[in-house]
């Protein structure tokens, strides 16, 4: 627990400091005689005893202009990867958890429709972490906003605080679809983890992004926003993007193009 | 200054035991309701991922707010040195403790994992208003407990004023904390305002005093002791001030919101189009909870005890309606993530969320009320909390 707290404190650095740390890390990497070793480490996930690093900030870019009407491959992939029952199959659809969902926006004036997935935005300043009484909601150093299922007491204050309605409470006993690397439990709160289990394995991507790419839509890009050479950083430099409810100044890990 | 004799109520009549048994029955129902919710999960409640805090929170927050207000009478006696209120103080303190206990029990038994209460007591995040409230609630029990002790034990009587002042400051901080549970939320339009802290304080004054007056009158009427008009009229006038202040805060809050275009939709929802929430706001909170009690208490009706009791009951009903609108109404209105756009999803985005409390939720909430009243009933039987008489003559002597 104290390690997690330390991680979230480490992560609360200013953009300047973060840039400095990134630059310093990059320089150090350049000076290291075996940069190949470091790349190998990243590609194969970090060892268990090594803490997540704030040199990395995982993020996602959603290109809403490519997000297809009627397609919910990202939602299905998330449910399969993380073991939550799809809403359509749930006996209690109103109370069923949804880690990611498709939104259809319509401009009432022009009738133009926009499709996009909505999920935990992995804020740099997450309101859910601020309000959590036990510290079960926490932000990992690499930007992932997660819930420690062992210390979540199910008070739902984070759900009151989230401006994106990204979180769900597990309302009933879980069936046997649970995945061994995705702990879940009745009475606790959960949300998108950016497939933390995949990241820690070194996959470097999430189930929803893989599904979107496989379907040929390519509306989702995932990667390290701190690495200027990553695909996501390049895309974010190229395309104008927006943060949902940018007025709240939460510095989101999910950026949308075409909204 | 004349001295006042405090004595336990006898509490041996069948009527007393019937009251005790009836309250106990509701406590039992509350326990069964918790057991059901804990066993099956929140799937048996009307709550979902849109309305995450339901009826139990309405009862819990109401009781916690009222608890802090119930201490008011004691505060007036020791902090503001009004001798007339001195004999009324012990009941005020015990009622505050009892209501706090009832409210907290409902709050913790509605947790998704109420079995993990120990986690909440051992893991803290000091940026969370909830964490601060854990300390404020615990401190309240300690301070009010000590204060009650200084009032009842002659050997420590000299510390009464100090203890009373500490409890008074603490209770103001506590209600600030309760209001800030909502005031510190950025996501929803109706929250996220400093207004909620002082508004909750003034609401606590009104709800707490209304409950206090009803409990006081009932204890005297049912034990055949004399409760003079002097006490009733004084407390009644105080209630008028508090209820008027509640009305003032509510008007200012909504007028301010109405001036801001970004709040027009949510204000239209609460004030005009919100169905049950609009009805509860106008009929429950404003008409029954504020206007009617003011009319009763300020008119000639306010001289009759029955009407004072009716006014108190209306303030309590209005308070519950206000909590329902404040807590559930604010969640029922959809989050505005994409201003100006119509939104649709499988997660009920862009629609007004419906909520129907289930039977376990109702009984869990009522169980909290029953615990509070049961504790009070038991306390007046075993402790010397109530003066033998509060007739006008005795009370008049106190002031000279």
């Amino acid at each position: 627990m104290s390690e997690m707290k330390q991680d979230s404190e480490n992560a609360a650095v200013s953009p300047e400091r973060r840039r400095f740390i990134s630059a310093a890390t990059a320089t150090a990497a350049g000076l290291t005689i075996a940069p190949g070793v470091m790349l190998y480490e990243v590609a194969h996930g970090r060892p268990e005893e090594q803490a997540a690093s704030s040199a990395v900030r995982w993020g996602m870019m959603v290109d809403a202009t490519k997000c297809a009407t009627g397609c919910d491959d990202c939602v299905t992939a998330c449910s399969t990867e993380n073991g939550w029952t799809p809403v359509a199959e749930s006996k209690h659809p109103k109370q069923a958890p949804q880690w990611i969902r498709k939104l259809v926006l319509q401009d009432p004036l022009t009738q133009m429709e926009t499709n996009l997935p909505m999920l935990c935005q992995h804020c740099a300043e997450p309101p859910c972490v601020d309000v959590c009484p036990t510290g079960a909601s926490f932000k990992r150093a690499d930007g992932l906003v997660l819930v420690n299922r062992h210390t979540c007491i199910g008070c739902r204050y984070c759900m009151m605080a989230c401006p994106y309605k990204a979180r769900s409470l597990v309302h009933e006993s879980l069936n046997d679809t649970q995945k061994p690397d995705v702990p879940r439990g009745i009475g606790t709160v959960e949300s998108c983890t950016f497939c933390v289990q995949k990241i820690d394995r070194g996959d470097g991507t999430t189930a929803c992004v893989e599904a979107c790419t496989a379907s040929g839509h390519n509306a989702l890009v995932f990667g390290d926003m701190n690495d200027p050479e990553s695909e996501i950083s390049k895309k974010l430099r190229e395309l104008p993007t927006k943060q949902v409810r940018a007025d709240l100044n939460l510095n989101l890990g999910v950026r949308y193009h075409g909204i | 200054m004349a001295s006042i004799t405090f004595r336990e109520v006898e509490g041996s009549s069948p009527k007393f035991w019937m009251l005790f048994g009836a309250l106990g029955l509701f406590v039992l129902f509350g326990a069964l309701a918790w057991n059901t919710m804990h066993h099956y999960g929140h799937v048996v409640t009307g709550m979902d991922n849109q309305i995450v805090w339901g009826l139990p929170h309405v009862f819990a927050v109401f009781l916690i707010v009222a608890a802090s207000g119930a201490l008011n009478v004691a505060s007036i006696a020791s902090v503001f040195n009004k001798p007339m209120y001195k004999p009324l103080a012990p009941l005020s303190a015990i009622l505050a403790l009892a209501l706090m206990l009832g409210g907290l029990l409902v709050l913790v038994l509605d947790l998704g994992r109420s079995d993990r209460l120990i986690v909440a007591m051992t893991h803290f995040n000091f940026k969370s208003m909830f964490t601060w409230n854990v300390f404020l609630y615990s401190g309240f029990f300690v301070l009010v407990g000590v204060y009650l002790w200084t009032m009842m034990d002659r050997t420590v009587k000299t510390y009464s004023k100090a203890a009373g002042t500490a409890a008074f400051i603490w209770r103001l901080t506590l209600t600030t904390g309760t209001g800030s549970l909502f005031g510190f939320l950025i996501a929803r339009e109706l929250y996220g305002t400093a207004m909620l802290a002082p508004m909750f304080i003034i609401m606590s004054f009104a709800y707490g005093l209304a409950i206090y007056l009803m409990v006081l009158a009932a204890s005297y009427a049912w034990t055949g002791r004399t409760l003079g008009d002097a006490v009733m009229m004084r407390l009644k006038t105080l209630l008028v001030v508090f209820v008027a202040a509640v009305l003032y805060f509510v008007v200012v809050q909504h007028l301010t919101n109405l001036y801001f275009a970004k709040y027009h939709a949510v204000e239209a929802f609460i004030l005009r189009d919100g169905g049950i929430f609009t009805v509860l706001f106008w009929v429950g909170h404003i008409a029954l909870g504020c206007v009617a009690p003011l009319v009763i208490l300020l008119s000639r009706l306010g001289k009759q005890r029955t009407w004072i009791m009716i006014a108190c009951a209306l303030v309590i009903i209005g308070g519950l309606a206000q909590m329902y609108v404040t807590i559930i109404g604010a969640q029922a209105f959809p989050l505005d993530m994409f201003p100006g756009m119509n939104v649709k999803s499988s997660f009920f985005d862009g629609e007004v969320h419906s909520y129907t409390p289930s039977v376990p939720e109702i009984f869990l909430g009522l169980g909290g009320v029953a615990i509070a009243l049961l504790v009070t009933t038991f306390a007046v039987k075993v402790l010397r909390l109530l003066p033998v008489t509060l007739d006008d003559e005795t009370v008049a002597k106190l002031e000279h």
Side-chain angles (χ1 to χ4, degrees), chain A residues 94-96 98 101 104 106 108 129-133 149 152-157 159 165 169 171 186, chain B residues 42-43 45 47-50 52-53 110 112-113 116 125 127-128 131 181 188 340 342 344 346-347 349:
Chain A
K94 247 189 109 184
Q95 291 160 316
Q98 298 192 35
R101 61 195 192 266
V104 181
Q106 190 185 44
V129 173
D130 289 347
V131 303
C132 178
R149 306 299 157 75
C152 174
I153 55 171
C155 73
R156 285 107 69 205
Y157 199 19
M159 299 172 76
K165 222 170 65 167
L169 175 80
H171 280 75
I186 184 173
Chain B
H42 274 60
V43 72
T45 69
M47 290 177 259
D48 50 37
N49 291 316
Q50 338 303 324
V52 304
W53 284 356
D110 179 52
R113 293 297 303 259
R116 286 187 183 167
N125 163 27
K127 207 177 174 187
S128 168
T131 298
L181 276 180
R188 291 160 208 273
N342 293 333
K344 269 194 318 219
S346 59
F347 210 45
D349 288 277

Side-chain angles (χ1 to χ4, degrees), chain B residues 54-237:
Chain B
L55 195 66
H57 272 78
V58 171
F59 276 98
V61 178
F62 176 82
L63 287 170
I64 291 169
V65 164
S68 148
L71 191 66
N72 224 31
V73 173
S75 300
I76 296 170
S78 50
V79 181
F80 301 102
N81 281 327
K82 300 280 179 208
M84 197 210 89
Y85 288 88
K86 285 240 157 82
L88 306 172
L91 178 67
S92 160
I94 202 77
L95 191 59
L97 289 174
L99 290 167
M100 180 60 74
L101 179 70
L104 280 185
L105 276 174
V106 177
L107 197 69
V108 301
L109 295 180
D110 179 52
L111 290 175
R113 293 297 303 259
S114 46
D115 54 319
R116 286 187 183 167
L117 192 57
I118 191 72
V119 175
M121 298 294 185
T122 49
H123 291 68
F124 302 113
N125 163 27
F126 287 100
K127 207 177 174 187
S128 168
M129 200 26 74
F130 230 137
T131 298
W132 284 104
N133 276 287
V134 170
F135 287 96
L136 290 168
Y137 300 149
S138 323
F140 185 82
F141 280 112
V142 174
L143 283 176
V144 179
V146 169
Y147 180 32
L148 189 64
W149 174 36
T150 63
M151 283 192 283
M152 300 189 66
D153 184 348
R154 274 169 200 280
T155 55
V156 288
K157 215 174 176 73
T158 44
Y159 301 106
S160 184
K161 189 175 166 79
T165 309
F168 175 68
I169 294 169
W170 197 268
R171 75 164 241 32
L172 289 181
T173 316
L174 182 140
T175 320
T176 304
T178 314
S180 302
L181 276 180
F182 304 96
F184 283 16
L185 287 177
I186 55 159
R188 291 160 208 273
E189 279 98 336
L190 286 177
Y191 300 149
T193 162
M195 187 88 179
L196 284 165
M199 196 153 101
F200 267 57
I201 290 183
I202 199 64
M203 283 167 172
S204 82
F205 285 170
Y207 307 160
L209 184 58
I211 295 175
Y212 178 86
L213 261 168
M214 290 192 85
V215 170
L216 180 75
S219 352
Y220 276 74
W222 295 344
T223 53
R225 298 187 187 188
T226 314
L227 176 63
D229 275 343
V231 169
M232 286 306 275
M233 292 305 134
R234 187 76 79 88
L235 291 176
K236 177 204 88 166
T237 313

Side-chain angles (χ1 to χ4, degrees), chain A residues 156-233:
Chain A
R156 285 107 69 205
Y157 199 19
C158 57
M159 299 172 76
M160 292 291 279
C162 178
Y164 308 100
K165 222 170 65 167
R167 292 199 157 184
S168 300
L169 175 80
V170 181
H171 280 75
E172 55 191 323
S173 296
L174 292 167
N175 53 29
D176 55 4
T177 60
Q178 282 214 67
K179 304 282 169 174
D181 50 2
V182 186
R184 303 176 63 215
I186 184 173
T188 60
V189 173
E190 56 185 26
S191 60
C192 157
T193 63
F194 266 173
C195 289
V196 61
Q197 69 280 11
K198 283 170 70 63
I199 289 183
D200 287 352
R201 276 203 301 262
D203 291 2
T205 188
T206 66
C208 54
V209 174
E210 286 177 337
C212 191
T213 309
S215 73
H217 296 306
N218 292 310
L220 305 178
V221 181
F222 186 82
D224 177 8
M225 299 203 294
N226 279 352
D227 173 6
E229 294 311 309
S230 66
E231 189 194 353
I232 188 170
S233 294

